[in-house]
Amino acid sequence: YVHRIGRTARAGREGKAFSFVTRRDFNRLKDIQKYTKTKIKSQPVPTLEDIKDTKISDITEGIRKELKHDGLGKYKEIVEDLTTEDFTSLDVAAAILKLHIKEELENKSETAANHQPIVTGGSGRLYLSLGHTNQITPAHILAAILDSTSLNKDDVGKIDIFDRFSFVEVPANKSQEVISNLSGGRINGRNVRVEESKPRSR
């Protein structure tokens, strides 16, 4: 730990180091603080909305910089073409910004989420091929698992739903039962594929 964090300020540089800690790591973190004689500030992991707000701010600043430079000619032509279709330039700019932000956030969230490691302790993390765009809610996923397996409500852990996919935690010894009984079936009237979450490649 000390070696890793020390790399942040190697050769006189400055920086910030972040450690992602689960409940089962709290005692280990306390030992590290005691050993290093320092206090590690605790804060919640940013939500998708927090990330979205930060991304919007970054994109907005990038737009300001582009507006100060030349080279926008061909893009202005595209905007002019669209404004002949009863769209205002403000409508066009807003639509482009929306598409850019949505695509980038979805790509980043899918990449990050798909590389979450499988929990090797008492629970396993399963991938489901349905998400917000399929009108899926945690209640739908919970109901589907309870209806098709021997699991009860207390067996089902955290459910994370993204735009195009979801994750659910279940006991490790029940993972295959959920996959076998739920994959290829339907959740809220939509076909679903269920598989173990892929571990991060190294």
Side-chain angles (χ1 to χ4, degrees):
Y1 174 87
V2 173
H3 173 71
R4 283 281 189 182
I5 300 306
R7 295 173 67 90
T8 305
R10 187 168 57 180
R13 292 178 298 183
E14 295 183 355
K16 294 182 179 180
F18 296 88
S19 298
F20 293 89
V21 182
T22 62
R23 285 191 179 90
R24 65 180 180 179
D25 292 324
F26 282 169
N27 288 335
R28 182 178 296 179
L29 183 64
K30 290 179 181 178
D31 290 339
I32 290 173
Q33 292 181 100
K34 183 178 179 181
Y35 177 78
T36 58
K37 296 182 176 62
T38 187
K39 177 68 176 177
I40 300 175
K41 182 180 178 182
S42 175
Q43 62 185 60
V45 176
T47 65
L48 192 58
E49 281 301 313
D50 293 332
I51 297 172
K52 182 177 180 180
D53 290 342
T54 300
K55 195 63 195 176
I56 290 174
S57 178
D58 290 343
I59 291 175
T60 302
E61 184 60 31
I63 291 173
R64 290 194 181 97
K65 291 180 179 179
E66 286 296 330
L67 289 171
K68 295 178 181 178
H69 296 84
D70 295 327
L72 298 177
K74 63 179 180 180
Y75 303 106
K76 288 181 179 179
E77 292 177 5
I78 295 173
V79 173
E80 288 175 352
D81 288 342
L82 289 169
T83 55
T84 62
E85 300 177 19
D86 294 329
F87 298 114
T88 66
S89 56
L90 182 60
D91 291 334
V92 175
I96 293 172
L97 186 59
K98 179 182 177 181
L99 286 172
H100 178 72
I101 293 174
K102 182 178 180 181
E103 180 179 0
E104 184 155 344
L105 287 176
E106 284 186 353
N107 288 339
K108 287 183 179 296
S109 63
E110 182 169 0
T111 299
N114 266 323
H115 285 86
Q116 290 296 320
I118 300 172
V119 178
T120 57
S123 64
R125 197 163 186 251
L126 302 181
Y127 166 91
L128 291 80
S129 61
L130 299 175
H132 287 306
T133 56
N134 307 111
Q135 288 77 54
I136 295 299
T137 67
H140 289 136
I141 294 176
L142 177 61
I145 292 175
L146 299 184
D147 289 344
S148 61
T149 70
S150 64
L151 277 71
N152 58 50
K153 185 177 180 180
D154 292 334
D155 291 327
V156 182
K158 186 178 180 182
I159 299 175
D160 293 315
I161 300 182
F162 296 87
D163 281 347
R164 294 179 289 183
F165 54 90
S166 303
F167 291 97
V168 59
E169 291 181 358
V170 299
N173 61 352
K174 296 289 186 179
S175 293
Q176 285 305 316
E177 180 184 352
V178 175
I179 294 173
S180 298
N181 292 313
L182 196 57
S183 189
R186 289 176 173 269
I187 296 181
N188 196 30
R190 292 168 172 79
N191 293 326
V192 63
R193 186 179 80 258
V194 184
E195 59 188 42
E196 288 185 339
S197 173
K198 298 176 182 177
R200 185 186 300 274
S201 58
R202 295 182 181 277

